[in-house]
Amino acid sequence: MNETDQELTWLQDLLDRSIGVAGGHLASIVEPGRRTLSAARISADPRGAVVLNVATVTASGEPRLSAVDGHFLHGRWHFSTSGSAIKARHLRARPAVSVGYTPRDGYGIWAHGRATAIDPASADWERLHAYFTEYYGQSPTEWAPTIVAFRVEPHWMVGYAMADDELSQFEQLLPERDKRLDAALRALG
């Protein structure tokens, strides 16, 4: 966990506001106070690089989804990509973004916001560059002719995890569900 107390307070406020405007369906699943993740837990769980799904939109409004190495740092998602990547072009033109981290059934973190390209001449880039270089063992500038790093500035975020008692019950059901797969596929035709 690398968040300051101020960042954790900001993140918890964002999480509380976000779940407060959730629709009935989402609220029935995440059950505020029971299955929602706290700022402290969100800051502690995704360590290092995780598979972060990033949704952008084309000029004609068509959605596009891709995966990146996501890093949760200082209460926000960060990722890099080639400057020539389609997602980079989308985000430069239309910075609205949605991201999702769902490493397993019964756990996820979702956010909507704006992707901000981190200026390579900024102190933020220097810190992120040092982090990436240490983490990956090489400078991100070696990955492609042009690298761009983005920070997601969320205006909505929800974290969800099954309660421990539910998770153990769910895991006990998996072998039985897997046994039913062949019959389910036959029923599909």
Side-chain angles (χ1 to χ4, degrees), residues 37 41 45-47 49-53 77 100-110 160-161:
L37 297 177
R41 173 111 184 248
D45 282 356
R47 299 200 25 90
V50 300
V51 177
L52 184 68
N53 293 300
W77 288 106
Y101 168 57
T102 52
R104 65 178 186 280
D105 215 344
Y107 183 99
I109 302 168
W110 299 270
Y160 160 80

mmCIF file of all heavy atoms in Angstrom, residues 37 41 45-47 49-53 77 100-110 160-161:
data_model
loop_
_atom_site.group_PDB
_atom_site.id
_atom_site.type_symbol
_atom_site.label_atom_id
_atom_site.label_comp_id
_atom_site.label_asym_id
_atom_site.label_seq_id
_atom_site.Cartn_x
_atom_site.Cartn_y
_atom_site.Cartn_z
ATOM 1 N N LEU A 37 -15.615 -3.180 -0.913
ATOM 2 C CA LEU A 37 -14.229 -3.081 -0.478
ATOM 3 C C LEU A 37 -13.951 -1.671 0.034
ATOM 4 O O LEU A 37 -14.402 -0.691 -0.554
ATOM 5 C CB LEU A 37 -13.275 -3.385 -1.633
ATOM 6 C CG LEU A 37 -13.348 -4.792 -2.212
ATOM 7 C CD1 LEU A 37 -12.403 -4.924 -3.407
ATOM 8 C CD2 LEU A 37 -13.005 -5.823 -1.147
ATOM 9 N N ARG A 41 -8.471 -1.680 1.659
ATOM 10 C CA ARG A 41 -8.377 -2.998 1.015
ATOM 11 C C ARG A 41 -8.051 -2.855 -0.467
ATOM 12 O O ARG A 41 -7.222 -3.601 -1.003
ATOM 13 C CB ARG A 41 -9.680 -3.773 1.212
ATOM 14 C CG ARG A 41 -9.755 -5.077 0.457
ATOM 15 C CD ARG A 41 -9.724 -6.289 1.311
ATOM 16 N NE ARG A 41 -9.715 -7.493 0.512
ATOM 17 C CZ ARG A 41 -10.718 -8.369 0.447
ATOM 18 N NH1 ARG A 41 -11.801 -8.182 1.175
ATOM 19 N NH2 ARG A 41 -10.617 -9.437 -0.307
ATOM 20 N N ASP A 45 -4.825 -4.738 -2.055
ATOM 21 C CA ASP A 45 -5.011 -5.975 -2.823
ATOM 22 C C ASP A 45 -4.271 -6.030 -4.155
ATOM 23 O O ASP A 45 -3.489 -6.953 -4.367
ATOM 24 C CB ASP A 45 -6.505 -6.248 -3.053
ATOM 25 C CG ASP A 45 -7.175 -6.829 -1.827
ATOM 26 O OD1 ASP A 45 -6.501 -7.093 -0.822
ATOM 27 O OD2 ASP A 45 -8.407 -7.020 -1.875
ATOM 28 N N PRO A 46 -4.501 -5.120 -5.088
ATOM 29 C CA PRO A 46 -3.820 -5.271 -6.385
ATOM 30 C C PRO A 46 -2.357 -4.823 -6.283
ATOM 31 O O PRO A 46 -2.044 -3.645 -6.363
ATOM 32 C CB PRO A 46 -4.625 -4.371 -7.336
ATOM 33 C CG PRO A 46 -5.334 -3.402 -6.478
ATOM 34 C CD PRO A 46 -5.435 -4.003 -5.107
ATOM 35 N N ARG A 47 -1.467 -5.784 -6.083
ATOM 36 C CA ARG A 47 -0.033 -5.469 -5.885
ATOM 37 C C ARG A 47 0.720 -5.677 -7.185
ATOM 38 O O ARG A 47 0.575 -6.697 -7.841
ATOM 39 C CB ARG A 47 0.541 -6.342 -4.787
ATOM 40 C CG ARG A 47 -0.173 -6.098 -3.472
ATOM 41 C CD ARG A 47 0.542 -6.521 -2.234
ATOM 42 N NE ARG A 47 1.964 -6.607 -2.245
ATOM 43 C CZ ARG A 47 2.790 -5.593 -1.917
ATOM 44 N NH1 ARG A 47 2.308 -4.425 -1.605
ATOM 45 N NH2 ARG A 47 4.098 -5.784 -1.910
ATOM 46 N N ALA A 49 1.845 -5.383 -11.049
ATOM 47 C CA ALA A 49 1.088 -5.367 -12.303
ATOM 48 C C ALA A 49 -0.061 -6.365 -12.224
ATOM 49 O O ALA A 49 0.134 -7.519 -11.852
ATOM 50 C CB ALA A 49 1.992 -5.706 -13.471
ATOM 51 N N VAL A 50 -1.252 -5.906 -12.573
ATOM 52 C CA VAL A 50 -2.427 -6.769 -12.657
ATOM 53 C C VAL A 50 -3.055 -6.561 -14.028
ATOM 54 O O VAL A 50 -2.822 -5.541 -14.685
ATOM 55 C CB VAL A 50 -3.458 -6.477 -11.540
ATOM 56 C CG1 VAL A 50 -2.846 -6.689 -10.162
ATOM 57 C CG2 VAL A 50 -4.026 -5.075 -11.662
ATOM 58 N N VAL A 51 -3.841 -7.530 -14.471
ATOM 59 C CA VAL A 51 -4.534 -7.384 -15.746
ATOM 60 C C VAL A 51 -5.697 -6.427 -15.537
ATOM 61 O O VAL A 51 -6.655 -6.727 -14.820
ATOM 62 C CB VAL A 51 -5.029 -8.745 -16.284
ATOM 63 C CG1 VAL A 51 -5.802 -8.543 -17.576
ATOM 64 C CG2 VAL A 51 -3.856 -9.693 -16.495
ATOM 65 N N LEU A 52 -5.581 -5.252 -16.150
ATOM 66 C CA LEU A 52 -6.606 -4.216 -16.055
ATOM 67 C C LEU A 52 -7.256 -4.077 -17.420
ATOM 68 O O LEU A 52 -6.581 -3.857 -18.425
ATOM 69 C CB LEU A 52 -5.970 -2.877 -15.642
ATOM 70 C CG LEU A 52 -6.932 -1.720 -15.422
ATOM 71 C CD1 LEU A 52 -7.813 -1.974 -14.190
ATOM 72 C CD2 LEU A 52 -6.151 -0.417 -15.270
ATOM 73 N N ASN A 53 -8.572 -4.252 -17.464
ATOM 74 C CA ASN A 53 -9.313 -4.074 -18.703
ATOM 75 C C ASN A 53 -9.661 -2.606 -18.843
ATOM 76 O O ASN A 53 -10.198 -1.992 -17.919
ATOM 77 C CB ASN A 53 -10.571 -4.942 -18.699
ATOM 78 C CG ASN A 53 -10.198 -6.406 -18.730
ATOM 79 O OD1 ASN A 53 -9.555 -6.865 -19.654
ATOM 80 N ND2 ASN A 53 -10.565 -7.130 -17.688
ATOM 81 N N TRP A 77 -5.558 4.174 -10.835
ATOM 82 C CA TRP A 77 -4.965 3.218 -11.760
ATOM 83 C C TRP A 77 -4.000 3.940 -12.685
ATOM 84 O O TRP A 77 -4.287 5.046 -13.160
ATOM 85 C CB TRP A 77 -6.044 2.521 -12.593
ATOM 86 C CG TRP A 77 -6.847 1.538 -11.812
ATOM 87 C CD1 TRP A 77 -8.138 1.675 -11.368
ATOM 88 C CD2 TRP A 77 -6.420 0.254 -11.363
ATOM 89 N NE1 TRP A 77 -8.521 0.557 -10.679
ATOM 90 C CE2 TRP A 77 -7.484 -0.332 -10.667
ATOM 91 C CE3 TRP A 77 -5.229 -0.453 -11.494
ATOM 92 C CZ2 TRP A 77 -7.403 -1.597 -10.089
ATOM 93 C CZ3 TRP A 77 -5.140 -1.714 -10.921
ATOM 94 C CH2 TRP A 77 -6.220 -2.279 -10.238
ATOM 95 N N GLY A 100 -11.661 -2.062 -15.394
ATOM 96 C CA GLY A 100 -12.128 -3.119 -14.507
ATOM 97 C C GLY A 100 -11.015 -4.102 -14.198
ATOM 98 O O GLY A 100 -10.250 -4.494 -15.075
ATOM 99 N N TYR A 101 -10.949 -4.470 -12.934
ATOM 100 C CA TYR A 101 -9.995 -5.475 -12.461
ATOM 101 C C TYR A 101 -10.818 -6.575 -11.812
ATOM 102 O O TYR A 101 -11.453 -6.368 -10.769
ATOM 103 C CB TYR A 101 -9.034 -4.825 -11.458
ATOM 104 C CG TYR A 101 -8.176 -5.796 -10.671
ATOM 105 C CD1 TYR A 101 -7.337 -6.698 -11.303
ATOM 106 C CD2 TYR A 101 -8.196 -5.788 -9.283
ATOM 107 C CE1 TYR A 101 -6.541 -7.577 -10.580
ATOM 108 C CE2 TYR A 101 -7.398 -6.656 -8.546
ATOM 109 C CZ TYR A 101 -6.577 -7.542 -9.199
ATOM 110 O OH TYR A 101 -5.797 -8.406 -8.476
ATOM 111 N N THR A 102 -10.857 -7.748 -12.448
ATOM 112 C CA THR A 102 -11.636 -8.872 -11.934
ATOM 113 C C THR A 102 -10.771 -10.139 -11.986
ATOM 114 O O THR A 102 -10.865 -10.933 -12.921
ATOM 115 C CB THR A 102 -12.931 -9.074 -12.752
ATOM 116 O OG1 THR A 102 -12.590 -9.151 -14.146
ATOM 117 C CG2 THR A 102 -13.900 -7.937 -12.540
ATOM 118 N N PRO A 103 -9.924 -10.320 -10.990
ATOM 119 C CA PRO A 103 -8.991 -11.443 -11.029
ATOM 120 C C PRO A 103 -9.630 -12.808 -10.785
ATOM 121 O O PRO A 103 -9.023 -13.833 -11.092
ATOM 122 C CB PRO A 103 -8.002 -11.108 -9.925
ATOM 123 C CG PRO A 103 -8.801 -10.307 -8.944
ATOM 124 C CD PRO A 103 -9.747 -9.502 -9.794
ATOM 125 N N ARG A 104 -10.840 -12.812 -10.229
ATOM 126 C CA ARG A 104 -11.493 -14.095 -9.947
ATOM 127 C C ARG A 104 -12.980 -13.851 -9.727
ATOM 128 O O ARG A 104 -13.433 -12.724 -9.566
ATOM 129 C CB ARG A 104 -10.887 -14.748 -8.716
ATOM 130 C CG ARG A 104 -11.114 -13.958 -7.433
ATOM 131 C CD ARG A 104 -10.535 -14.662 -6.210
ATOM 132 N NE ARG A 104 -10.870 -13.970 -5.000
ATOM 133 C CZ ARG A 104 -10.251 -12.889 -4.530
ATOM 134 N NH1 ARG A 104 -9.245 -12.359 -5.202
ATOM 135 N NH2 ARG A 104 -10.624 -12.324 -3.402
ATOM 136 N N ASP A 105 -13.723 -14.933 -9.732
ATOM 137 C CA ASP A 105 -15.143 -14.845 -9.444
ATOM 138 C C ASP A 105 -15.344 -14.326 -8.028
ATOM 139 O O ASP A 105 -14.625 -14.719 -7.109
ATOM 140 C CB ASP A 105 -15.774 -16.237 -9.577
ATOM 141 C CG ASP A 105 -17.181 -16.211 -10.123
ATOM 142 O OD1 ASP A 105 -17.794 -15.135 -10.122
ATOM 143 O OD2 ASP A 105 -17.660 -17.277 -10.552
ATOM 144 N N GLY A 106 -16.254 -13.415 -7.851
ATOM 145 C CA GLY A 106 -16.547 -12.916 -6.515
ATOM 146 C C GLY A 106 -15.672 -11.775 -6.050
ATOM 147 O O GLY A 106 -15.650 -11.452 -4.866
ATOM 148 N N TYR A 107 -14.913 -11.141 -6.977
ATOM 149 C CA TYR A 107 -14.046 -10.023 -6.601
ATOM 150 C C TYR A 107 -13.867 -9.118 -7.804
ATOM 151 O O TYR A 107 -13.634 -9.583 -8.921
ATOM 152 C CB TYR A 107 -12.668 -10.526 -6.164
ATOM 153 C CG TYR A 107 -11.750 -9.415 -5.686
ATOM 154 C CD1 TYR A 107 -11.588 -9.178 -4.331
ATOM 155 C CD2 TYR A 107 -11.075 -8.613 -6.593
ATOM 156 C CE1 TYR A 107 -10.762 -8.153 -3.890
ATOM 157 C CE2 TYR A 107 -10.248 -7.593 -6.151
ATOM 158 C CZ TYR A 107 -10.100 -7.365 -4.805
ATOM 159 O OH TYR A 107 -9.287 -6.354 -4.362
ATOM 160 N N GLY A 108 -13.973 -7.814 -7.587
ATOM 161 C CA GLY A 108 -13.722 -6.882 -8.684
ATOM 162 C C GLY A 108 -13.631 -5.444 -8.210
ATOM 163 O O GLY A 108 -14.164 -5.082 -7.155
ATOM 164 N N ILE A 109 -12.942 -4.645 -9.008
ATOM 165 C CA ILE A 109 -12.856 -3.203 -8.798
ATOM 166 C C ILE A 109 -13.137 -2.568 -10.156
ATOM 167 O O ILE A 109 -12.484 -2.912 -11.155
ATOM 168 C CB ILE A 109 -11.460 -2.774 -8.298
ATOM 169 C CG1 ILE A 109 -11.102 -3.482 -6.989
ATOM 170 C CG2 ILE A 109 -11.404 -1.257 -8.115
ATOM 171 C CD1 ILE A 109 -9.638 -3.328 -6.594
ATOM 172 N N TRP A 110 -14.111 -1.651 -10.199
ATOM 173 C CA TRP A 110 -14.493 -0.984 -11.431
ATOM 174 C C TRP A 110 -14.452 0.523 -11.220
ATOM 175 O O TRP A 110 -14.794 1.006 -10.142
ATOM 176 C CB TRP A 110 -15.912 -1.390 -11.853
ATOM 177 C CG TRP A 110 -16.034 -2.855 -12.111
ATOM 178 C CD1 TRP A 110 -15.837 -3.500 -13.291
ATOM 179 C CD2 TRP A 110 -16.385 -3.872 -11.158
ATOM 180 N NE1 TRP A 110 -16.028 -4.852 -13.134
ATOM 181 C CE2 TRP A 110 -16.368 -5.101 -11.823
ATOM 182 C CE3 TRP A 110 -16.701 -3.853 -9.797
ATOM 183 C CZ2 TRP A 110 -16.666 -6.309 -11.197
ATOM 184 C CZ3 TRP A 110 -16.992 -5.050 -9.176
ATOM 185 C CH2 TRP A 110 -16.978 -6.262 -9.872
ATOM 186 N N TYR A 160 -15.764 -4.739 -4.934
ATOM 187 C CA TYR A 160 -16.675 -5.794 -4.478
ATOM 188 C C TYR A 160 -15.896 -7.057 -4.152
ATOM 189 O O TYR A 160 -14.968 -7.429 -4.874
ATOM 190 C CB TYR A 160 -17.678 -6.092 -5.605
ATOM 191 C CG TYR A 160 -18.361 -7.434 -5.515
ATOM 192 C CD1 TYR A 160 -19.434 -7.619 -4.658
ATOM 193 C CD2 TYR A 160 -17.947 -8.505 -6.297
ATOM 194 C CE1 TYR A 160 -20.073 -8.852 -4.586
ATOM 195 C CE2 TYR A 160 -18.584 -9.737 -6.223
ATOM 196 C CZ TYR A 160 -19.642 -9.898 -5.367
ATOM 197 O OH TYR A 160 -20.275 -11.105 -5.283
ATOM 198 N N ALA A 161 -16.269 -7.706 -3.080
ATOM 199 C CA ALA A 161 -15.748 -9.037 -2.770
ATOM 200 C C ALA A 161 -16.819 -9.809 -2.027
ATOM 201 O O ALA A 161 -17.488 -9.264 -1.142
ATOM 202 C CB ALA A 161 -14.484 -8.956 -1.919
#
